[in-house]
């Protein structure tokens, strides 16, 4: 007999500390495309599964799969700022410094992890050159990558590298120079390092260099931050294209939040999006992975029950929720279609089930779900805070307006009235439509789109469901995301009805 009360949880919200991630990983098309060297920019909302995919790829380490993961603590942010390159288009000012970091990372993989080296006669010479450069410059074949641009570093390249030292002769001693002068010759240095690393890559092996946590502690309002991300994307494209041209299986993979990527603007972004970007989406109407399948893997791991049909084993779907919804639909409607949301909701349902203490029912029932909604709603608001506050620091004032409106569904005139009633708390000049556009961007509200005219049936438009959707300034009817009902205290009725 199923004993849900004996279960501690169904995993952690944060992939970095989720004990079930490896055994209950739900394979996603974005993971497969990255692993197969087809796509290398993985985009998704916070909590959509980017770090889970990152961990899976970094964890592939074996004799013929050689990954390296860059986390936040390993980025040389502070010293990187001094590597900005002059005399190039603004969006390329960090391209070559990222390329240099990737070349050093790849050199480290080749020198410390790749047991097949030297795999060819050409690789014998190239490996010797890489070892000479890395050891001479950083004192070891295994350098601390967070200190690649440390001020104490002096670039040391012997004559066979073919660098024209005359351009920096005032600061050169022999064939070395301070790292601060690297931007002057960085393109030549990268050319030599790239030729050496590419020739060393064994075509029978897979190599991955992954960049995650690029948004931690950063703000898109800072131009320098945007330029660094653009530089990384351009460097990854350059190196990945080169490796493919040479028949090598190397991918530099970048994991970014969708709102961060959306706000970056650079030449050929559309081309990069079409050829390199893979979006992490769940329960897509076109098919693909589902959050139900993800949870069934977890139920299987935790409860030792068959994976197929595990949802119906854990949830009593014989009794519908309000509005004749299945329990799965009721739960998913309150998420942003992200793994962390349904894991959190399921964990809160589990705790409510324990408190309710019914010994007659060994499945989750309606009351368990209803009782879990308050804590889940509080969690969802906390998650929103992490995403929205950097771009819209006044967003909590917008939420107060929604509380004033007080209903799940409302009209534009209701929002306008609420804004006028609380005008003193809003930024000067803020209109109801502008406020709603900000909330729509992060899916706090959706707007009603009438059907007909060849556009399909009437429906509410949500950014988290349609990433290409734009705010409609002419919309007159809105709806608060159901996941925020409890924490905002709004009721399930139409304000103007």
């Amino acid at each position: 007999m199923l004993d849900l009360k004996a279960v501690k949880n169904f995993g952690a919200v944060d992939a970095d500390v989720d004990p079930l991630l490896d055994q209950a990983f739900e394979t996603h098309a974005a993971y497969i495309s990255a692993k197969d060297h087809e796509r290398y920019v993985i985009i998704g909302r916070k909590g959509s599964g980017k770090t889970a995919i990152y961990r899976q790829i970094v964890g592939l380490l074996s004799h013929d799969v050689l990954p390296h993961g860059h986390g936040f603590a390993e980025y040389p942010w502070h010293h990187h700022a001094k590597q900005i390159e002059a005399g190039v288009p603004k969006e390329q000012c960090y391209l070559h410094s990222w390329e240099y970091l990737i070349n050093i990372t790849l050199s480290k993989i080749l020198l410390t992890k790749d047991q097949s080296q030297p795999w060819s006669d050409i690789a014998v010479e190239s490996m010797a050159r890489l070892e000479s450069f890395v050891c001479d410059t950083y004192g070891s074949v295994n350098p601390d990558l967070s200190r690649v641009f440390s001020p104490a570093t002096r670039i040391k390249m012997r004559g066979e590298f073919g660098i024209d030292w005359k351009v920096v002769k005032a600061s050169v001693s022999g064939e070395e120079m301070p790292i601060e002068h690297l931007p002057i010759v960085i393109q030549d240095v990268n050319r030599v390092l790239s030729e050496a690393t590419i020739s060393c890559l064994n075509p029978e092996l897979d190599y991955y260099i992954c960049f995650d946590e690029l948004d931690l502690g950063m703000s898109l309002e800072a131009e320098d931050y945007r330029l660094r991300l653009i530089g990384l994307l351009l460097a990854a494209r350059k190196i990945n294209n080169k490796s493919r041209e040479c028949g090598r299986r190397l991918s530099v993979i970048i994991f970014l939040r969708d709102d961060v990527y959306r706000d970056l603007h650079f030449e050929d972004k559309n081309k990069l999006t079409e050829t390199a970007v893979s979006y992490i989406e769940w329960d897509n109407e076109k098919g693909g992975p589902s959050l139900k399948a993800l949870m069934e893997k977890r139920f299987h791991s935790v409860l030792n029950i068959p994976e197929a049909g595990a949802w119906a084993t854990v949830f009593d779907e014989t009794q519908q929720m309000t509005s004749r919804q299945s329990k799965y639909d009721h739960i998913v409607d309150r998420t942003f279609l992200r793994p962390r949301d349904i894991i959190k909701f399921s964990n809160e349902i589990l705790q409510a089930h324990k408190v309710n203490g019914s010994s007659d029912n060994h499945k989750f029932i309606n009351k368990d779900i209803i009782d879990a909604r308050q804590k889940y709603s509080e969690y969802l608001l906390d998650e929103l805070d992490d995403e929205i506050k950097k771009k819209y620091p006044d967003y909590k004032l917008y939420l107060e307006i929604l509380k004033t409106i007080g209903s799940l569904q409302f009209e534009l005139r209701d929002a306008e009235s609420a804004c006028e009633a609380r005008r003193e708390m809003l930024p000067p000049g803020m209109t109801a439509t502008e406020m709603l556009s900000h909330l729509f961007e992060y899916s706090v509200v959706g707007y009603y789109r009438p059907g007909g005219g060849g556009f399909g049936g009437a429906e509410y438009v949500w950014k988290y469901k349609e990433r290409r959707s734009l705010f409609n300034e002419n919309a007159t009817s809105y709806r608060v995301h159901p996941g925020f009902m409890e924490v905002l205290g709004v009721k399930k009725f139409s304000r103007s009805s």
Side-chain angles (χ1 to χ4, degrees):
M1 184 177 293
L2 196 65
D3 186 8
L4 289 169
K5 295 184 178 65
V7 176
K8 184 177 181 181
N9 57 56
F10 298 116
V13 169
D14 188 345
D16 284 324
V17 294
D18 184 4
L20 295 179
L21 178 63
D22 292 335
Q23 57 185 298
F25 178 72
E26 176 68 7
T27 300
H28 195 285
Y31 166 74
I32 296 172
S33 67
K35 182 173 174 288
D36 291 347
H37 305 282
E38 295 173 353
R39 302 263 170 166
Y40 56 87
V41 182
I42 310 302
I43 304 295
R45 191 166 182 170
K46 178 186 175 186
S48 60
K50 297 184 302 297
T51 296
I53 294 175
Y54 167 86
R55 277 187 52 183
Q56 286 297 308
I57 293 176
V58 172
L60 292 173
L61 180 63
S62 66
H63 72 281
D64 58 355
V65 181
L66 302 170
H68 181 89
H70 282 279
F72 179 79
E74 203 172 73
Y75 297 130
W77 292 119
H78 176 66
H79 301 313
H80 195 179
K82 298 178 181 179
Q83 294 297 312
I84 192 168
E85 196 172 356
V88 298
K90 183 178 287 188
E91 65 185 32
Q92 296 182 21
C93 65
Y94 283 109
L95 185 160
H96 295 106
S97 53
W98 279 115
E99 186 182 357
Y100 178 80
L101 175 61
I102 293 167
N103 279 327
I104 296 301
T105 303
L106 189 51
S107 298
K108 178 174 178 173
I109 293 173
L110 292 167
L111 292 168
T112 63
K113 295 181 180 179
D114 192 347
Q115 299 176 11
S116 73
Q117 298 299 335
W119 70 275
S120 70
D121 292 339
I122 295 177
V124 173
E125 180 181 350
S126 295
M127 285 291 291
R129 295 171 75 188
L130 288 176
E131 182 174 0
S132 174
F133 173 77
V134 175
C135 284
D136 289 348
T137 300
Y138 297 104
S140 165
V141 295
N142 192 20
D144 180 352
L145 296 175
S146 67
R147 299 186 59 80
V148 163
F149 299 118
S150 171
T153 301
R154 294 185 68 85
I155 299 294
K156 300 174 184 178
M157 302 187 79
R158 300 177 186 179
E160 65 267 20
F161 272 80
I163 302 299
D164 183 6
W165 296 105
K166 294 179 182 178
V167 294
V168 286
K169 63 182 179 181
S171 60
V172 170
S173 174
E175 291 175 336
E176 66 177 66
M177 67 176 180
I179 192 73
E180 65 196 67
H181 291 158
L182 177 61
I184 301 174
V185 295
I186 194 167
Q187 294 189 45
D188 288 329
V189 173
N190 277 333
R191 172 181 53 79
V192 173
L193 289 176
S194 179
E195 290 174 356
T197 53
I198 291 292
S199 66
C200 288
L201 293 177
N202 189 326
E204 300 298 321
L205 274 57
D206 290 291
Y207 303 83
Y208 304 97
I209 298 177
C210 302
F211 290 87
D212 193 22
E213 300 180 332
L214 289 160
D215 59 298
L216 292 184
M218 299 299 169
S219 172
L220 277 171
E221 300 304 309
E223 183 184 38
D224 182 69
Y225 173 59
R226 294 197 304 272
L227 291 175
R228 290 193 206 194
L229 292 184
I230 292 170
L232 177 56
L233 289 165
L234 296 178
R237 180 178 65 179
K238 180 180 179 180
I239 291 173
N240 289 338
N241 287 347
K242 179 67 173 178
S243 70
R244 282 153 182 71
E245 290 171 5
C246 296
R248 301 300 194 270
R249 298 176 61 80
L250 163 67
S251 284
V252 178
I253 305 172
I254 301 168
F255 297 82
L256 278 179
R257 271 192 1 220
D258 61 345
D259 60 316
V260 173
Y261 184 73
R262 187 169 60 242
D263 285 350
L264 297 179
H265 303 285
F266 55 95
E267 188 176 351
D268 285 343
K269 179 183 176 181
N270 288 338
K271 186 184 297 185
L272 184 95
T273 301
E274 290 299 318
T275 60
V277 168
S278 184
Y279 288 94
I280 303 178
E281 296 176 331
W282 299 87
D283 284 71
N284 191 308
E285 292 180 357
K286 298 177 182 178
S290 72
L291 295 175
K292 178 182 285 188
L294 181 146
M295 289 308 302
E296 287 186 326
K297 275 188 168 61
R298 290 173 178 268
F299 297 153
H300 164 70
S301 297
V302 172
L303 297 166
N304 195 28
I305 59 177
E307 182 178 325
W311 182 272
T313 303
V314 174
F315 284 86
D316 182 5
E317 289 286 12
T318 62
Q319 182 183 11
Q320 293 180 319
M321 302 293 293
T322 56
S323 301
R324 304 182 69 178
Q325 276 190 314
S326 68
K327 289 178 175 58
Y328 180 72
D329 289 341
H330 182 90
I331 291 169
V332 167
D333 275 355
R334 285 159 174 74
T335 73
F336 286 129
L337 296 181
R338 306 181 299 188
R340 73 168 49 191
D341 295 344
I342 197 164
I343 292 171
K344 177 63 175 179
F345 210 154
S346 296
N347 283 341
E348 293 299 342
I349 293 169
L350 173 64
Q351 296 309 312
H353 179 79
K354 292 179 179 180
V355 171
N356 290 334
S358 173
S359 59
D360 298 329
N361 201 307
H362 299 282
K363 294 184 177 184
F364 294 146
I365 58 175
N366 289 8
K367 179 173 172 53
D368 298 331
I369 296 173
I370 293 169
D371 291 351
R373 290 194 317 212
Q374 178 65 39
K375 287 188 176 180
Y376 169 76
S377 189
E378 293 169 1
Y379 144 84
L380 199 64
L381 182 59
D382 289 340
E383 286 289 301
L384 174 70
D385 184 74
D386 288 343
E387 292 184 88
I388 195 174
K389 66 181 178 183
K390 292 177 184 177
K391 188 168 184 179
Y392 300 121
D394 294 324
Y395 86 94
K396 289 186 178 179
L397 303 180
Y398 310 161
L399 300 184
E400 291 301 315
I401 299 297
L402 295 183
K403 291 180 183 178
T404 298
I405 296 171
S407 62
L408 187 71
Q409 295 176 200
F410 60 92
E411 301 297 309
L412 175 60
R413 60 179 178 270
D414 300 322
E416 291 173 335
S417 297
C419 284
E420 284 305 313
R422 308 194 68 173
R423 174 55 58 190
E424 77 286 347
M425 66 181 284
L426 290 175
M430 173 69 70
T431 66
T433 299
E434 183 181 2
M435 176 197 73
L436 291 169
S437 73
H438 294 171
L439 293 175
F440 172 78
E441 186 177 342
Y442 287 88
S443 296
V444 180
V445 300
Y447 66 82
Y448 182 74
R449 179 169 59 197
F455 295 101
E459 62 179 346
Y460 279 91
V461 179
W462 300 95
K463 190 72 174 180
Y464 77 96
K465 288 184 176 181
E466 300 179 39
R467 51 182 168 79
R468 294 182 181 272
S469 61
L470 300 175
F471 182 72
N472 182 3
E473 294 186 352
N474 297 316
T476 58
S477 299
Y478 295 87
R479 190 180 190 205
V480 177
H481 189 285
F484 296 112
M485 275 184 61
E486 287 75 21
V487 74
L488 296 180
V490 299
K491 304 302 180 183
K492 195 173 183 180
F493 64 87
S494 178
R495 174 74 178 183
S496 297
S497 60

